[in-house]
Short mmCIF file of all heavy atoms in Angstrom, two decimals:
data_model
loop_
_atom_site.label_atom_id
_atom_site.label_comp_id
_atom_site.label_asym_id
_atom_site.label_seq_id
_atom_site.Cartn_x
_atom_site.Cartn_y
_atom_site.Cartn_z
N VAL A 7 -6.16 -9.60 4.64
CA VAL A 7 -6.41 -8.17 4.39
C VAL A 7 -5.20 -7.53 3.72
O VAL A 7 -5.31 -6.87 2.68
CB VAL A 7 -6.75 -7.45 5.71
CG1 VAL A 7 -6.72 -5.93 5.51
CG2 VAL A 7 -8.12 -7.88 6.22
N PHE A 8 -4.02 -7.73 4.32
CA PHE A 8 -2.80 -7.08 3.81
C PHE A 8 -2.44 -7.61 2.42
O PHE A 8 -2.01 -6.84 1.55
CB PHE A 8 -1.65 -7.28 4.79
CG PHE A 8 -1.89 -6.67 6.15
CD1 PHE A 8 -1.26 -7.17 7.30
CD2 PHE A 8 -2.77 -5.60 6.29
CE1 PHE A 8 -1.48 -6.60 8.54
CE2 PHE A 8 -2.99 -5.04 7.54
CZ PHE A 8 -2.36 -5.55 8.66
N LEU A 9 -2.62 -8.91 2.20
CA LEU A 9 -2.26 -9.49 0.90
C LEU A 9 -3.17 -8.92 -0.20
O LEU A 9 -2.71 -8.61 -1.30
CB LEU A 9 -2.36 -11.01 0.97
CG LEU A 9 -1.92 -11.76 -0.30
CD1 LEU A 9 -0.48 -11.41 -0.66
CD2 LEU A 9 -2.07 -13.27 -0.12
N ASN A 10 -4.44 -8.78 0.10
CA ASN A 10 -5.36 -8.22 -0.90
C ASN A 10 -4.99 -6.78 -1.24
O ASN A 10 -5.05 -6.36 -2.40
CB ASN A 10 -6.80 -8.28 -0.38
CG ASN A 10 -7.52 -9.54 -0.82
OD1 ASN A 10 -7.85 -9.72 -1.99
ND2 ASN A 10 -7.75 -10.43 0.13
N LEU A 11 -4.64 -5.99 -0.24
CA LEU A 11 -4.26 -4.60 -0.49
C LEU A 11 -2.98 -4.53 -1.30
O LEU A 11 -2.83 -3.66 -2.18
CB LEU A 11 -4.11 -3.85 0.83
CG LEU A 11 -5.41 -3.63 1.61
CD1 LEU A 11 -5.12 -2.99 2.97
CD2 LEU A 11 -6.38 -2.75 0.81
N ILE A 12 -2.03 -5.44 -1.05
CA ILE A 12 -0.78 -5.48 -1.82
C ILE A 12 -1.08 -5.88 -3.27
O ILE A 12 -0.54 -5.30 -4.22
CB ILE A 12 0.23 -6.43 -1.17
CG1 ILE A 12 0.68 -5.87 0.19
CG2 ILE A 12 1.44 -6.65 -2.08
CD1 ILE A 12 1.51 -6.85 1.02
N LEU A 13 -1.95 -6.87 -3.45
CA LEU A 13 -2.33 -7.31 -4.80
C LEU A 13 -2.99 -6.17 -5.59
O LEU A 13 -2.70 -5.96 -6.78
CB LEU A 13 -3.27 -8.51 -4.72
CG LEU A 13 -2.65 -9.84 -4.30
CD1 LEU A 13 -3.74 -10.87 -4.03
CD2 LEU A 13 -1.70 -10.36 -5.36
N ASN A 14 -3.88 -5.43 -4.93
CA ASN A 14 -4.53 -4.30 -5.60
C ASN A 14 -3.51 -3.25 -6.01
O ASN A 14 -3.60 -2.66 -7.10
CB ASN A 14 -5.58 -3.67 -4.67
CG ASN A 14 -6.85 -4.50 -4.60
OD1 ASN A 14 -7.09 -5.37 -5.42
ND2 ASN A 14 -7.66 -4.23 -3.61
N ALA A 15 -2.54 -2.99 -5.13
CA ALA A 15 -1.49 -2.02 -5.45
C ALA A 15 -0.66 -2.50 -6.63
O ALA A 15 -0.30 -1.71 -7.52
CB ALA A 15 -0.62 -1.77 -4.23
N GLU A 16 -0.33 -3.81 -6.66
CA GLU A 16 0.43 -4.37 -7.79
C GLU A 16 -0.29 -4.12 -9.11
O GLU A 16 0.30 -3.65 -10.09
CB GLU A 16 0.60 -5.89 -7.60
CG GLU A 16 1.62 -6.29 -6.57
CD GLU A 16 1.70 -7.81 -6.47
OE1 GLU A 16 1.40 -8.49 -7.47
OE2 GLU A 16 2.03 -8.32 -5.39
N GLN A 17 -1.57 -4.43 -9.14
CA GLN A 17 -2.33 -4.27 -10.39
C GLN A 17 -2.46 -2.80 -10.78
O GLN A 17 -2.46 -2.47 -11.97
CB GLN A 17 -3.71 -4.91 -10.23
CG GLN A 17 -3.65 -6.43 -10.12
CD GLN A 17 -5.02 -7.06 -9.96
OE1 GLN A 17 -5.97 -6.39 -9.55
NE2 GLN A 17 -5.12 -8.34 -10.26
N ALA A 18 -2.57 -1.90 -9.80
CA ALA A 18 -2.67 -0.48 -10.11
C ALA A 18 -1.37 0.07 -10.68
O ALA A 18 -1.39 1.03 -11.47
CB ALA A 18 -3.06 0.30 -8.85
N MET A 19 -0.24 -0.52 -10.28
CA MET A 19 1.07 -0.03 -10.74
C MET A 19 1.60 -0.78 -11.94
O MET A 19 2.67 -0.46 -12.45
CB MET A 19 2.08 -0.11 -9.58
CG MET A 19 1.77 0.82 -8.42
SD MET A 19 3.02 0.77 -7.14
CE MET A 19 2.73 -0.85 -6.41
N ARG A 20 0.86 -1.79 -12.40
CA ARG A 20 1.34 -2.59 -13.52
C ARG A 20 1.45 -1.70 -14.76
O ARG A 20 0.54 -0.97 -15.12
CB ARG A 20 0.37 -3.74 -13.78
CG ARG A 20 0.89 -4.78 -14.74
CD ARG A 20 -0.02 -5.99 -14.71
NE ARG A 20 0.05 -6.66 -13.41
CZ ARG A 20 -0.85 -7.54 -12.99
NH1 ARG A 20 -1.90 -7.81 -13.74
NH2 ARG A 20 -0.72 -8.10 -11.81
N GLY A 21 2.59 -1.77 -15.44
CA GLY A 21 2.81 -0.96 -16.64
C GLY A 21 3.38 0.42 -16.37
O GLY A 21 3.56 1.21 -17.30
N ASN A 22 3.65 0.74 -15.10
CA ASN A 22 4.23 2.04 -14.76
C ASN A 22 5.67 2.09 -15.30
O ASN A 22 6.53 1.30 -14.92
CB ASN A 22 4.22 2.24 -13.25
CG ASN A 22 4.46 3.68 -12.87
OD1 ASN A 22 5.28 4.37 -13.47
ND2 ASN A 22 3.74 4.14 -11.86
N LYS A 23 5.94 3.02 -16.23
CA LYS A 23 7.24 3.06 -16.88
C LYS A 23 8.36 3.44 -15.93
O LYS A 23 9.51 3.03 -16.11
CB LYS A 23 7.19 4.07 -18.04
CG LYS A 23 6.23 3.65 -19.15
CD LYS A 23 6.23 4.66 -20.29
CE LYS A 23 5.28 4.22 -21.39
NZ LYS A 23 5.25 5.19 -22.52
N GLN A 24 8.06 4.25 -14.90
CA GLN A 24 9.09 4.63 -13.93
C GLN A 24 9.30 3.55 -12.86
O GLN A 24 10.15 3.69 -11.99
CB GLN A 24 8.72 5.95 -13.23
CG GLN A 24 8.90 7.18 -14.10
CD GLN A 24 7.69 7.45 -14.97
OE1 GLN A 24 6.60 7.03 -14.63
NE2 GLN A 24 7.91 8.12 -16.08
N GLY A 25 8.54 2.49 -12.91
CA GLY A 25 8.63 1.47 -11.88
C GLY A 25 7.68 1.76 -10.74
O GLY A 25 7.40 2.93 -10.44
N GLY A 26 7.14 0.71 -10.14
CA GLY A 26 6.19 0.89 -9.06
C GLY A 26 6.85 1.16 -7.72
O GLY A 26 7.97 0.70 -7.47
N ARG A 27 6.15 1.92 -6.88
CA ARG A 27 6.63 2.18 -5.52
C ARG A 27 5.49 1.92 -4.55
O ARG A 27 4.43 2.57 -4.64
CB ARG A 27 7.13 3.62 -5.37
CG ARG A 27 8.32 3.97 -6.21
CD ARG A 27 8.90 5.33 -5.80
NE ARG A 27 7.88 6.37 -5.79
CZ ARG A 27 7.52 7.06 -6.87
NH1 ARG A 27 8.10 6.80 -8.03
NH2 ARG A 27 6.60 7.99 -6.79
N LEU A 28 5.72 1.00 -3.65
CA LEU A 28 4.72 0.68 -2.63
C LEU A 28 5.31 1.06 -1.27
O LEU A 28 6.33 0.50 -0.85
CB LEU A 28 4.37 -0.81 -2.66
CG LEU A 28 3.41 -1.31 -1.56
CD1 LEU A 28 2.08 -0.58 -1.64
CD2 LEU A 28 3.22 -2.81 -1.65
N ASN A 29 4.68 2.03 -0.62
CA ASN A 29 5.12 2.48 0.70
C ASN A 29 4.14 1.95 1.74
O ASN A 29 2.94 2.25 1.67
CB ASN A 29 5.18 4.00 0.76
CG ASN A 29 6.10 4.59 -0.29
OD1 ASN A 29 7.15 4.02 -0.56
ND2 ASN A 29 5.72 5.71 -0.86
N ILE A 30 4.65 1.18 2.69
CA ILE A 30 3.83 0.64 3.77
C ILE A 30 4.25 1.29 5.07
O ILE A 30 5.43 1.21 5.47
CB ILE A 30 3.96 -0.89 3.87
CG1 ILE A 30 3.56 -1.53 2.52
CG2 ILE A 30 3.09 -1.43 5.00
CD1 ILE A 30 3.72 -3.04 2.51
N THR A 31 3.29 1.96 5.72
CA THR A 31 3.57 2.69 6.95
C THR A 31 2.68 2.16 8.06
O THR A 31 1.48 1.97 7.85
CB THR A 31 3.31 4.20 6.76
OG1 THR A 31 4.09 4.67 5.67
CG2 THR A 31 3.67 4.97 8.02
N ALA A 32 3.25 1.94 9.22
CA ALA A 32 2.48 1.54 10.40
C ALA A 32 2.79 2.52 11.51
O ALA A 32 3.96 2.75 11.85
CB ALA A 32 2.83 0.11 10.81
N ARG A 33 1.74 3.09 12.10
CA ARG A 33 1.94 4.11 13.13
C ARG A 33 0.78 4.07 14.11
O ARG A 33 -0.16 3.31 13.95
CB ARG A 33 2.04 5.50 12.48
CG ARG A 33 0.76 5.96 11.80
CD ARG A 33 0.97 7.23 10.98
NE ARG A 33 -0.28 7.82 10.54
CZ ARG A 33 -1.01 7.41 9.53
NH1 ARG A 33 -0.60 6.35 8.83
NH2 ARG A 33 -2.13 8.02 9.20
N VAL A 34 0.84 4.95 15.13
CA VAL A 34 -0.22 5.05 16.14
C VAL A 34 -0.75 6.47 16.10
O VAL A 34 0.02 7.44 16.11
CB VAL A 34 0.32 4.71 17.55
CG1 VAL A 34 -0.81 4.78 18.58
CG2 VAL A 34 0.96 3.33 17.56
N ASP A 35 -2.09 6.61 16.08
CA ASP A 35 -2.65 7.97 16.08
C ASP A 35 -2.84 8.47 17.51
O ASP A 35 -2.50 7.77 18.48
CB ASP A 35 -3.97 8.01 15.29
CG ASP A 35 -5.07 7.17 15.96
OD1 ASP A 35 -4.85 6.67 17.08
OD2 ASP A 35 -6.15 7.03 15.35
N GLN A 36 -3.41 9.66 17.64
CA GLN A 36 -3.55 10.28 18.96
C GLN A 36 -4.52 9.52 19.84
O GLN A 36 -4.43 9.60 21.07
CB GLN A 36 -4.02 11.73 18.80
CG GLN A 36 -2.99 12.63 18.10
CD GLN A 36 -3.49 14.05 17.94
OE1 GLN A 36 -4.67 14.33 18.19
NE2 GLN A 36 -2.60 14.95 17.52
N GLU A 37 -5.48 8.82 19.24
CA GLU A 37 -6.44 8.04 20.05
C GLU A 37 -5.90 6.67 20.42
O GLU A 37 -6.59 5.89 21.09
CB GLU A 37 -7.75 7.88 19.28
CG GLU A 37 -8.61 9.13 19.20
CD GLU A 37 -8.06 10.11 18.19
OE1 GLU A 37 -7.38 9.66 17.25
OE2 GLU A 37 -8.30 11.32 18.33
N GLY A 38 -4.69 6.35 19.96
CA GLY A 38 -4.10 5.07 20.32
C GLY A 38 -4.39 3.95 19.34
O GLY A 38 -4.07 2.79 19.62
N HIS A 39 -5.02 4.26 18.18
CA HIS A 39 -5.27 3.22 17.19
C HIS A 39 -4.02 2.96 16.36
O HIS A 39 -3.20 3.87 16.13
CB HIS A 39 -6.41 3.63 16.24
CG HIS A 39 -7.71 3.90 16.94
ND1 HIS A 39 -8.25 5.17 17.07
CD2 HIS A 39 -8.57 3.06 17.56
CE1 HIS A 39 -9.39 5.10 17.73
NE2 HIS A 39 -9.61 3.83 18.05
#
């Protein structure tokens, strides 16, 4: 799952003149997920 999402992000940022930025955040919501 994570590798596919990273690959999609790579392709979306390909050719970005300012350089690509991938921010990965992991947290817990109020329901505990």
